Amino acid sequence: MPTNADITPGLNGLLKEASYGQLATLMPDGAPQVTQVWLDTDGTHILVNTGADHRKAKNVQLDPRVAINIHDARAMRIAHIRGRVVEVTSAGADQHVDELARKYLGAEKYPWRRPGEERIILKIQPEKIYSIGVDGDVWQQPEGGAQ
C-alpha cells in the first residue's frame, strides 16, 4: 500500500502561485501522456481542473497513477510528485476553473469553456515528493560560481 506524502508549506505556496505544471498519466496501452496543466491545492491534495472528455480524465479512470512536475518561472523551485487520483468530482469545478483563470490569466472567467462542457476536478494524493528550492533548500552552485 503506498504511503501518503504531505504537502509542505513551500510546496503549498508554489501550488498557490501561477506556477508551471505538467501532469503525466498512462494511456490505455501503458504509454505515458503528458499535459501542461494549471495546478492548485486544498492543502492535502493537488487539484487539476479539466474537461470530463479530455484524454487525461479518461486515462485516470483506467489507472489513477500520475506524476506531476511543477516549477516557478525561473525553474529555481521545482517539485516532482508521484501520486494517485483519489477523487474525481464535478462539484465546484466550474467555479474552480474561473479561480484558476484569475490566477493564471488575470481573467474573470475561464475563456475557453465550450458549450455543454462538463468540468471536473482531479484530486491527487501525493505519495512521493522530491523538491529542490521549495522549502528553504537551495541549489548548490558549481565550484567557481555560475557557468
Side-chain angles (χ1 to χ4, degrees):
M1 188 78 170
T3 58
N4 294 338
D6 293 328
I7 294 175
T8 63
L11 180 55
N12 189 76
L14 188 58
L15 287 161
K16 288 296 186 182
E17 294 174 20
S19 50
Y20 298 87
Q22 299 83 35
L23 174 72
T25 62
L26 295 171
M27 296 288 286
D29 67 358
Q33 190 258 351
V34 178
T35 306
Q36 184 77 22
V37 292
W38 292 344
L39 295 168
D40 195 9
T41 184
D42 62 9
T44 301
H45 305 98
I46 297 169
L47 308 177
V48 174
N49 192 302
T50 189
D53 62 341
H54 290 192
R55 181 77 257 166
K56 60 188 156 291
K58 294 174 184 176
N59 286 348
V60 300
Q61 290 174 2
L62 297 173
D63 189 332
R65 296 176 298 164
V66 298
I68 298 167
N69 185 63
I70 180 173
H71 60 89
D72 65 11
R74 293 183 49 224
M76 294 302 290
R77 293 178 298 147
I78 300 171
H80 309 292
I81 303 152
R82 287 189 311 231
R84 292 178 188 272
V85 174
V86 294
E87 183 180 348
V88 177
T89 182
S90 60
D94 288 329
Q95 296 83 358
H96 184 245
V97 77
D98 289 338
E99 291 170 16
L100 290 171
R102 281 190 283 285
K103 176 169 101 169
Y104 280 92
L105 303 174
E108 203 52 39
K109 292 261 187 209
Y110 178 66
W112 297 291
R113 185 172 281 129
R114 295 171 306 185
E117 178 181 48
E118 179 187 8
R119 301 298 303 185
I120 58 172
I121 298 171
L122 308 178
K123 290 189 177 184
I124 300 163
Q125 176 62 57
E127 294 172 354
K128 298 266 187 199
I129 300 172
Y130 172 78
S131 65
I132 190 159
V134 173
D135 283 291
D137 51 340
V138 294
W139 287 95
Q140 295 296 318
Q141 292 290 330
E143 284 189 39
Q147 300 283 330

